[in-house]
Amino acid sequence: MSDVAGMPTLALVLFAPWFLILSVLYWLYPRQPRNARRRGFDALAILLAFAGCLLSLHWSFGLADRSYGHLWPQILATSVGYGVFLAVLTAAFFIRRRLFARS
């Protein structure tokens, strides 16, 4: 039997439905302007959020102090990965707002 707590990408699998909901909300709001440039920016932002989450999961899992318990690396990886995902989407939201502001 494999060690589930030893898988840093488990947090990504468990958070995938919530990440999907947040990504859809980011994609849909605001509804206008909806042009190719905006869709490209949104797709890149969501891709960077997922990539940043995945990289931070592996990074924080490897750096976690295992003296706090067997599950601590998974807990830390989940927290850091979620924070990175939210940080990237939040930054992209405000950058998008400034880039695509109506004149």
Side-chain angles (χ1 to χ4, degrees):
M1 186 172 202
S2 66
D3 182 19
V4 175
M7 298 171 26
T9 54
L10 178 63
L12 185 61
V13 172
L14 295 174
F15 272 90
W18 179 238
F19 287 165
L20 180 63
I21 291 169
L22 290 175
S23 297
V24 167
L25 288 174
Y26 171 80
W27 184 272
L28 293 177
Y29 178 79
R31 295 198 182 276
Q32 297 301 327
R34 179 84 62 201
N35 53 27
R37 190 171 157 229
R38 155 98 188 268
R39 285 190 297 270
F41 181 85
D42 288 349
L44 180 64
I46 292 169
L47 182 66
L48 285 175
F50 276 108
C53 176
L54 189 60
L55 289 173
S56 68
L57 285 172
H58 286 280
W59 174 77
S60 58
F61 189 86
L63 289 179
D65 185 1
R66 279 142 172 82
S67 67
Y68 289 106
H70 187 64
L71 282 178
W72 176 245
Q74 187 65 45
I75 294 166
L76 181 65
T78 302
S79 302
V80 172
Y82 184 60
V84 167
F85 186 85
L86 288 180
V88 171
L89 275 190
T90 301
F93 176 80
F94 288 108
I95 292 169
R96 177 181 71 184
R97 203 163 122 185
R98 181 169 267 196
L99 283 177
F100 299 102
R102 292 185 183 247
S103 302

